Amino acid sequence: MKGDFQQACREGMLSLRRAGERGGINVQRERSLHAILKYWAEPDETFHERRLPETGQIADIFDGERVVEIQTGSFSALRKKLERMLPHYPVTVVYPLPRAKRLIWVEEDGTLSDPHPSPKKGQPWDAFDQLVYLAPLLGHPRLTVRLVLLDLDEYRRRDGWSRDGKRGSHRLERVPRSDEKAAPPEIRELYTTGDYGQLLPFDLPCPFTSLDLKKAVRRSAKQVQGMLYTLYTCGALIRTGKSGNAYLYQIAP
């Protein structure tokens, strides 16, 4: 990331105001997070939202040599976009992960609750929920995935199906924190297939089963299967045999 993080927070929010998009927390839908990361990755606005001459696609950032895509949501449509870009340019995908977050509830009348810490703490392996969509591309010599672990405030509308309106509620916006109580963002750059294997917990047995991984990361069986599929497909894991009906895995040399 090129710029100063706190400066990027200011510039990103100012850009939304200049564009007339700062219409209230109810309508931003992740624009703040996207804008801040874009200014942090490239402070020079002249490189923002530029068309690629070879493909006609609009890139979040393009300096004439490299493409940077800021991805704050699902990767489901990203693979096809990357498949068109990568033959022509090196591409970096920037993906934010909430390391720690405070929840702020938005009431029907628009009033905001006081922020309170969420008990959930983010981990690097949370990225596999989205990396699964890019499994065949991971390790491509022109593709870099940049994970940004940061503290943020998450705004949610209290419109869920539970009595207190929290279960099933809709997320409205996530805003990175840059105050003195927030820890500085951490960056993990992933280039080779081996880098993706290093996202796994360091204390896994060798070899390990899907059940071992499930216990280590405390994720659902479906999420763990997605992690194993991603890592095995890109070549970060190999199978060394079986224990009963379960495959044995180890990080590829």
Side-chain angles (χ1 to χ4, degrees):
M1 307 298 266
K2 290 185 178 180
D4 175 78
F5 178 64
Q6 292 187 342
Q7 180 66 23
C9 290
R10 292 190 289 269
E11 291 295 332
M13 302 305 279
L14 284 172
S15 73
L16 294 179
R17 293 191 180 97
R18 290 195 299 267
E21 296 180 356
R22 183 69 175 170
I25 201 69
N26 294 337
V27 297
Q28 289 181 74
R29 299 192 181 279
E30 301 274 88
R31 292 194 183 113
S32 296
L33 180 58
H34 188 278
I36 288 169
L37 291 175
K38 183 165 60 176
Y39 275 88
W40 192 23
E42 178 51 73
D44 189 340
E45 293 182 351
T46 63
F47 295 141
H48 294 181
E49 307 300 328
R50 292 185 59 184
R51 187 178 299 277
L52 304 182
E54 288 81 2
T55 68
Q57 296 165 292
I58 301 296
D60 287 327
I61 298 169
F62 177 56
D63 63 4
E65 296 181 357
R66 299 187 60 89
V67 172
V68 178
E69 285 292 301
I70 312 297
Q71 200 72 19
T72 61
S74 173
F75 282 22
S76 58
L78 184 59
R79 177 176 164 184
K80 290 184 178 179
K81 188 175 185 179
L82 292 177
E83 288 174 338
R84 294 180 60 193
M85 290 179 170
L86 287 170
H88 305 285
Y89 299 103
V91 180
T92 297
V93 175
V94 178
Y95 181 55
L97 289 171
R99 177 183 51 202
K101 63 184 178 182
R102 301 187 305 183
L103 292 175
I104 300 173
W105 293 97
V106 181
E107 307 295 344
E108 290 185 3
D109 61 2
T111 59
L112 306 179
S113 72
D114 292 331
H116 64 279
S118 169
K120 296 181 180 180
K121 302 297 181 182
Q123 299 289 346
W125 54 76
D126 294 338
F128 285 108
D129 288 350
Q130 300 303 325
L131 291 176
V132 66
Y133 294 108
L134 306 183
L137 295 180
L138 300 182
H140 188 290
R142 287 189 170 185
L143 177 63
T144 301
V145 175
R146 180 180 296 156
L147 304 181
V148 182
L149 287 85
L150 73 174
D151 298 349
L152 51 80
D153 287 336
E154 181 173 302
Y155 293 81
R156 302 190 73 94
R157 187 188 298 278
R158 200 191 293 268
D159 60 354
W161 48 262
S162 62
R163 180 173 296 180
D164 62 4
K166 294 182 178 180
R167 291 181 180 270
S169 61
H170 290 86
R171 187 174 71 198
L172 297 173
E173 175 71 310
R174 293 184 296 175
V175 180
R177 293 180 58 194
S178 59
D179 56 272
E180 60 183 14
K181 293 184 179 180
E186 302 172 45
I187 297 176
R188 295 283 296 269
E189 299 253 337
L190 309 175
Y191 304 99
T192 68
T193 55
D195 293 333
Y196 295 94
Q198 294 304 313
L199 294 180
L200 294 177
F202 68 90
D203 55 351
L204 274 173
C206 183
F208 64 90
T209 65
S210 61
L211 183 58
D212 293 326
L213 182 58
K214 185 175 184 294
K215 291 178 180 177
V217 299
R218 299 182 180 180
R219 309 298 297 274
S220 70
K222 181 178 180 181
Q223 289 171 312
V224 167
Q225 288 303 315
M227 294 173 66
L228 292 173
Y229 164 79
T230 303
L231 290 167
Y232 183 72
T233 299
C234 78
L237 291 183
I238 58 174
R239 290 172 178 165
T240 61
K242 280 191 169 184
S243 176
N245 292 325
Y247 283 110
L248 293 171
Y249 293 92
Q250 71 178 45
I251 295 177

